[in-house]
Amino acid sequence: MIGFVVLGLLVVVSIMGLFLLNNETNKGLSRPDQALHLSDNGLTSALTSQDQTATRRSVQKIIALEEQNRRMQLELMMLRKKNADMTSALSEIKTLYSALRIDNSWVLVKKDLASAMPMQDTQKPFDPILYSDFPLLSEEEVLSEIQLSILAGGVENALSFKERDQSIVNKSSDMVLAKLTNLPEVAAPTGNSIQGAVANLAPETAGQEVNVATVAVPMGLGSDATEGDILRLPLSKPAVLENLQAQQPMKLASISPLAGFEPDQAPQQPTGPLTGNTARFLAKMKALKSGQLNETITILHIGDSHIASDSFTRGIRRRLQSLYGDAGRGAVIPANAYKYAHADGVSLTASRGWSSANSLRVKSGPYGLSGVRVSTSSTGAKMTLTSKSGMFDWAEVTLYVGPKQGNVTIATQGGSKKISARATKVGSKTVRIEGRSKTLTVTHGGGGATTVLNWASGRNKPGIQYVNFGLSGATASVTKRWSDTLLANDIKRLDPDLIIYGYGTNEGYNDNLNMASYRKLASGFVGKLRAAAPAAAVMFIGPADGARRRSSTISCGGGWYTPKKLGAVRSTLQSMANENAGLFWDWASAMGGRCGAAKWSTQSPRLVAKDRVHLTPKGYDKSAAAFVAFLDGQVKNSLKVVSN
């Protein structure tokens, strides 16, 4: 009975629990249901009342930040523009000071300026930024800036920016502008224009004028000075202006431009008919070009690295052969002769066993016209020449002969010859093989040594053969190590119509060069060449313009100076051309005259190598074009004179 009662109570409690649980669940589900049935206006009203103020503040903050960002971008653009203007101004100042260092050191320049126009604050040194490298101005712009600064009486003030350093570009735009424009007002010396200032120069400068391109008037000259005024500047040192006459006379040795700093004039064409070998050579060139000459004209060009690498002569050869006809490559150096040696138009290879020597590094001979030799004692060692421009009609190999020389086989696709180079007396022997071929080989056959001095290939047709032999770093003194016998043999075999003397660059960089001794040496060598080829015309090339870091007479800016002896060597060679009734071409004039290397270094593409001695491929090609234009002009001009 009790069990039934307990069971009944449990059933009742269970029913009541289920009822209560179901009631609570229904209440919970009704809340989202009610929220879903709220009107849209009610929801919006609820959100606006809670978030409207915060939303408005956020929007206003975003707008303010966007405006601030816009102003900052504009200010940044202004700062960049002013920074560029400042850099340009500093560049002009540095270029001006580079030009002032024409003849002396920076110390002397500062002393000159201090004696002429003392600085207001002599305790503060010039800012090191003036020593930085900047692009160079032209010579006319430099001269204009010098004169304008002197006339303004404020060179020192214009150059002494106070508290100027690299951090200036990071300051506000107003501070940057103040640093660049905080220059004292300086009125023009007299009159109402810069023209009046020029009129006040001392009478002794009269008649020594040079036209200068239109320039902009710098800050501080006064309101009457207008941009575009044209000045006429004295070549001599400027006189002291009236307001400085009471001071100690200034010495402007390092400021006034040196006489002769202007570009050299272009080589002059002949004014009358040339005579002798030169006239005959030009006449043959004319006949060849017009198709009236059925011969090969051989031009021999000897010299230093410009010729050794074929860098300069390659462009000459290609142009002349295009104008006058291609008679083949002609004589070239042996394979693996020395570093940087190159022969355009052919490929030169050698197997193991060959050794080389050049007369610049090894004094002992034998050496002929090429100045090198390549030898082997390894039987079977082979040297090969392969034409890159099609078949040739003949080939030649010039061997050294003597008691210790052996057997050699010379072969082309047209035939081969086996010979002995052994002889009781030393000398040279040239072996020629006729027949069309694209390759030439020299193979050592034992019995001694095989020594190759040079080899050649050519075509049996009218045209030009342009032969180049040179040594990197050579001067004319290297020819003293050459055998007179071998030299004469080579010259007679080539039988050149024109011999071009291309030494002079390395001599010009020797500050201790004795010009009298150099002239004697060069004249003696030219005499040997003319004795071996008495019918040949001669031509001398004045060395290309160059520069170096060592201080010299003429500054080209940026710490580069023209070597002292370069001009003297050029003048000597021009004089030798006159003595030999020959031709003269001034390479420096083709580069724009003195400091032409500096000008070519700024070209795009660059025309001068970084050493300012050699040129880039583009520079050599431009020079070759100028040379050919000059030589072709000589042909045309001489004919015109003769016909008249």
Side-chain angles (χ1 to χ4, degrees), residues 128-142:
I129 197 171
L130 293 176
Y131 295 88
S132 302
D133 288 332
F134 292 97
L136 293 174
L137 295 176
S138 67
E139 294 170 10
E140 292 183 346
E141 292 172 324
V142 168

Side-chain angles (χ1 to χ4, degrees), residues 96-167:
L96 171 62
Y97 267 74
S98 295
L100 292 181
R101 299 173 65 182
I102 293 174
D103 197 20
N104 299 288
S105 65
W106 169 255
V107 176
L108 181 56
V109 171
K110 188 167 66 173
K111 181 179 178 181
D112 290 341
L113 293 174
S115 63
M117 290 155 285
M119 293 189 300
Q120 295 179 357
D121 186 359
T122 59
Q123 301 300 319
K124 293 185 178 181
F126 286 91
D127 196 306
I129 197 171
L130 293 176
Y131 295 88
S132 302
D133 288 332
F134 292 97
L136 293 174
L137 295 176
S138 67
E139 294 170 10
E140 292 183 346
E141 292 172 324
V142 168
L143 292 175
S144 301
E145 293 295 337
I146 295 173
Q147 185 65 16
L148 288 172
S149 299
I150 294 174
L151 293 176
V155 172
E156 295 295 324
N157 292 328
L159 295 176
S160 56
F161 292 109
K162 296 181 179 180
E163 301 177 0
R164 172 167 40 78
D165 54 40
Q166 188 61 36
S167 63

